[in-house]
Amino acid sequence: MTFSSHPWPELHYERLQETLAAVQLWTQIVGKIRLVQMPWINHSWHVTLYVSPRGLTTGSIPYADGLFELEFDFIDHRLAIRTSQGASEAMDLRPCTVASFYAELCERMARLHLPVDIYACPNEVDPAVPFAQDDQPRPYAPEQMQAFWQALVRMQPVFTRFRARFAGKCSPVHFFWGGFDLAVTRFSGREAPKHPGGAPNMPLDVMQEAYSHEVSSAGFWAGSPAFPQPAFYSYCYPTPPTFGEQPVAPEAAFFSQEMGEFLLPYDAVRLADDPEEALLQFLQSTYEAAARTGNWDRAALEFSFEQ
């Protein structure tokens, strides 16, 4: 199945990094609003954002008068706030400080009588400057943000198709604002050893609940100073000793000893003759590496045909 006739957009870490650093902090503010309004769902699935036809959305969030939603619109470059009462507000996405973004969002939420009672510091970043005190000027390059989102639009259906092959417990295809990555996670059904933690400014109990059961997780993120290029990743927890030695596809995929996971550069997918198939090969072969070395009950967990 081919999902799109449009080419996958070019992404360059050095052009993306400053805009994405700003947007990651903005999404943390929005994501924390969803976090405090939603009942806890296992593995923090209640906090995530989702790829939408215009950007990234919280989906429906309950409040006293019904439902509301916040959506980052990367076509018109606005943050839209909408309620089930028919009220709405919108603020432009533009170069600004995190403090001014936070202040304006709080003001617009107040106009709609919506709650913003959050822990107002970022997670999974270091240093974790409180939002109201982060007065560093931040750039916003609309064309770069739109390209990043368009890449998510291309890959999200492939992740969904991969998810549909699994009969066991599996996460939604969702976007974590902490790590700023699109991810989908499969579970073996067995409990896992206590996770040691290690993510910056992330409570240990949250990490241990997230990894309470054995997982094989795959996703996409835009890169970091340690690996300055957009890439797909796949890891498992716990990690069997021979996991990184398993054969995976396509040819450009490799195991990073430093990061403890399989990686596939985004460009290897973008430039492939069939990008969707190349990505699907990576997702499937790295899952099989985890399931094989972790002795998962594959007969019980996998569909014998694609749904």
Side-chain angles (χ1 to χ4, degrees):
M1 180 186 298
T2 299
F3 294 105
S4 174
S5 60
H6 295 284
W8 289 44
E10 290 188 39
L11 300 179
H12 301 280
Y13 174 74
E14 65 278 7
R15 300 177 194 170
L16 284 166
Q17 59 177 326
E18 291 189 355
T19 290
L20 292 191
V23 176
Q24 179 177 10
L25 293 170
W26 299 348
T27 61
Q28 293 221 6
I29 297 168
V30 167
K32 285 171 180 281
I33 294 171
R34 181 175 189 228
L35 184 159
V36 298
Q37 290 298 118
M38 296 287 288
W40 185 277
I41 300 176
N42 54 189
H43 319 302
S44 297
W45 293 354
H46 63 299
V47 311
T48 59
L49 305 180
Y50 307 95
V51 179
S52 77
R54 298 192 71 89
L56 290 170
T57 179
T58 60
S60 296
I61 302 172
Y63 79 117
D65 293 330
L67 299 172
F68 71 97
E69 173 189 27
L70 296 100
E71 182 178 35
F72 287 93
D73 181 337
F74 298 128
I75 296 176
D76 291 335
H77 302 285
R78 304 190 308 164
L79 176 63
I81 312 163
R82 297 181 285 265
T83 79
S84 56
Q85 299 297 311
S88 65
E89 288 277 342
M91 52 188 282
D92 292 335
L93 303 179
R94 63 187 187 279
C96 66
T97 67
V98 173
S100 63
F101 179 94
Y102 178 55
E104 182 178 353
L105 177 56
C106 289
E107 179 183 341
R108 292 182 181 277
M109 294 285 284
R111 291 179 192 171
L112 297 174
H113 306 289
L114 295 173
V116 192
D117 185 17
I118 65 173
Y119 173 68
C121 286
N123 295 103
E124 297 187 60
V125 298
D126 189 23
V129 180
F131 301 133
Q133 299 173 24
D134 190 341
D135 56 4
Q136 174 187 340
R138 305 274 182 169
Y140 181 77
E143 70 284 355
Q144 293 299 320
M145 196 60 229
Q146 190 171 92
F148 178 80
W149 162 67
Q150 280 292 328
L152 299 180
V153 168
R154 300 293 185 275
M155 63 188 70
Q156 195 269 354
V158 185
F159 278 70
T160 300
R161 179 178 173 187
F162 169 70
R163 183 184 187 276
R165 295 176 171 182
F166 199 65
K169 176 180 173 179
C170 190
S171 77
V173 178
H174 48 194
F175 192 88
F176 281 102
W177 40 262
F180 212 67
D181 58 328
L182 187 71
V184 63
T185 303
R186 293 176 170 186
F187 292 77
S188 75
R190 300 187 300 246
E191 291 188 359
K194 288 282 190 182
H195 197 280
N201 297 298
M202 174 60 70
L204 178 60
D205 59 345
V206 174
M207 289 286 290
Q208 290 181 339
E209 195 279 332
Y211 292 99
S212 61
H213 290 69
E214 294 178 351
V215 301
S216 172
S217 190
F220 167 80
W221 99 121
S224 68
F227 190 82
Q229 60 176 302
F232 299 94
Y233 65 80
S234 181
Y235 66 88
C236 59
Y237 180 79
T239 308
T242 58
F243 172 63
E245 301 170 8
Q246 302 304 301
V248 297
E251 187 176 352
F254 66 96
F255 186 78
S256 167
Q257 293 289 345
E258 295 77 16
M259 303 180 74
E261 58 190 4
F262 286 102
L263 296 174
L264 176 63
Y266 171 79
D267 273 352
V269 171
R270 180 178 71 86
L271 299 174
D273 291 339
D274 187 338
E276 290 85 2
E277 181 59 28
L279 175 53
L280 197 58
Q281 286 178 6
F282 178 73
L283 298 174
Q284 183 65 29
S285 64
T286 54
Y287 156 71
E288 290 177 358
R292 187 166 51 245
T293 59
N295 297 312
W296 288 28
D297 185 358
R298 296 183 61 186
L301 294 170
E302 300 171 22
F303 288 112
S304 59
F305 60 95
E306 187 163 324
Q307 301 297 294

